[in-house]
Amino acid sequence: MKTLRQAVQEAQEKKVAIGHFNISNLEGFWGVVRAAQNLSLPVIIGLSEGERDFVGVRQARALVTSLQEEGVQVYLNADHTYSFDRVKEVIDAGYDSVIFDGAKLSFEENIIQTKKCVEYARASGRDVLVEAELGYIGTSSKVLDEIPEGVLLGEESLTDPAKAKDFVEKTGIDMLAPAVGNFHGMLRSGVDPKLNIERVGAIALATGVPLVLHGGSGNSQDDFTGSIAAGIAIVHINTEIRVAYKQGLTKGLSENPDEVAPYKFLKPAMSAVQEVVEKKLRFFNNL
Ligand SMILES: [Zn+2]
């Protein structure tokens, strides 16, 4: 099977993006995997620190490995990881990629910490991709009444291409998550402000590394198509599948109040996740 690095490269050549979907449990996992299998597309399963603590760091690896052994093109990413120790933990556990999130650190400190993570990944003997973040895009994947505090969408607040180039050169990261008008979570209205596609292109050109769009929930198909053409190779979706999961679960419970078999009342939750993932994968792959 192709490595994640090869899969990302292939996506860039085809001008499509690989979908990255977070999971908290087995229903979410199967929802994502079945969607990808239905469309015969590669997919990345992501788990934040909190999601990893719930599922189990090594247990998530075992789940994804079991599918890879069956020839399914699924990869495993440690989403937003805030300390070197937790980066080390997932590299040791065999994850395909890890995101060190030093967006709240000073530029200099972000470089020092990110570089340490890259060095550890290189010394692992495996091809582990390290992604880092430059520019603040908020932290929580939930439904929001307003744009999160600290996230500014003016041109001057977005990731600066020259600074991004410097950051990539000094850290040696494989992929960069920029702030280009995106933020984690989605607005209750369901429509997030437009992305700055021009800035995506400028950062991609300056850095030469694949870019990762975080906080894709709430963004439009036009935003995806434009930003993917400009250099986005991976798109993260979490909030929308969390919302779908909860709605599916509520449906499963309310429609069968006497049902006590979890695998029965949880099915609508899994299907709801699958539906959203399929829809997003079609967007990312121009299907
Ligand atoms: Zn993110």
Side-chain angles (χ1 to χ4, degrees):
M1 170 151 42
K2 291 187 182 89
T3 63
L4 178 56
R5 188 184 299 278
Q6 290 166 332
V8 169
Q9 208 169 3
E10 195 180 87
Q12 288 208 292
E13 283 159 12
K14 289 186 183 166
K15 295 272 181 200
V16 297
I18 303 177
H20 173 291
F21 302 95
N22 290 69
I23 64 153
S24 291
N25 55 27
L26 208 52
E27 305 92 87
F29 174 76
W30 281 117
V32 174
V33 169
R34 292 204 172 130
Q37 281 185 301
N38 271 352
L39 298 171
S40 303
L41 290 169
V43 75
I44 302 169
I45 297 273
L47 294 94
S48 66
E49 289 186 358
E51 288 160 343
R52 297 203 292 277
D53 289 340
F54 190 71
V55 174
V57 172
R58 294 179 61 244
Q59 287 65 33
R61 180 64 264 182
L63 273 174
V64 174
T65 300
S66 68
L67 279 168
Q68 289 179 335
E69 286 168 355
E70 292 171 8
V72 184
Q73 210 184 349
V74 187
Y75 300 97
L76 180 64
N77 175 53
D79 205 358
H80 300 273
T81 305
Y82 298 96
S83 66
F84 171 73
D85 283 349
R86 296 221 64 173
V87 167
K88 183 175 177 296
E89 178 186 39
V90 292
I91 292 175
D92 292 347
Y95 280 47
D96 300 303
S97 57
V98 58
I99 301 172
F100 174 70
D101 184 342
K104 275 200 155 173
L105 303 174
S106 69
F107 184 66
E108 291 71 25
E109 192 57 27
N110 195 356
I111 289 175
I112 292 168
Q113 294 299 325
T114 303
K115 200 170 170 220
K116 197 172 158 189
C117 298
V118 172
E119 281 165 1
Y120 193 79
R122 301 295 179 257
S124 71
R126 293 188 303 113
D127 190 12
V128 188
L129 301 184
V130 180
E131 176 187 331
E133 194 173 313
L134 196 59
Y136 187 63
I137 54 173
T139 53
S140 74
S141 296
K142 58 183 181 187
V143 180
L144 307 159
D145 288 312
E146 51 191 44
I147 294 166
E149 203 185 321
V151 174
L152 301 167
L153 300 179
E155 291 246 335
E156 69 292 346
S157 312
L158 305 181
T159 302
D160 175 63
K163 217 169 168 185
K165 179 178 192 284
D166 190 30
F167 184 76
V168 170
E169 281 172 1
K170 285 184 174 145
T171 57
I173 50 166
D174 302 292
M175 303 187 291
L176 178 73
V180 288
N182 52 320
F183 52 85
H184 286 116
M186 62 186 270
L187 296 179
R188 199 174 296 280
S189 64
V191 186
D192 284 2
K194 276 190 188 312
L195 300 176
N196 190 321
I197 308 292
E198 227 173 280
R199 186 62 65 97
V200 173
I203 297 168
L205 191 69
T207 61
V209 294
L211 302 181
V212 181
L213 181 69
H214 284 245
S217 293
N219 286 121
S220 68
Q221 181 169 5
D222 282 352
D223 267 349
F224 291 133
T225 309
S227 59
I228 290 166
I232 294 289
I234 296 173
V235 181
H236 280 230
I237 301 284
N238 193 0
T239 312
E240 276 187 64
I241 51 179
R242 285 181 166 183
V243 170
Y245 177 87
K246 195 175 170 190
Q247 285 169 348
L249 175 63
T250 307
K251 185 170 166 247
L253 290 170
S254 62
E255 284 180 0
N256 313 286
D258 297 325
E259 184 55 70
V260 293
Y263 69 89
K264 289 184 181 166
F265 66 70
L266 287 172
K267 255 179 204 155
M270 188 195 74
S271 307
V273 170
Q274 182 177 340
E275 200 178 308
V276 173
V277 173
E278 279 196 30
K279 189 175 136 197
K280 298 295 174 186
L281 285 175
R282 285 182 197 279
F283 285 171
F284 305 159
N285 289 276
N286 307 314
L287 296 175

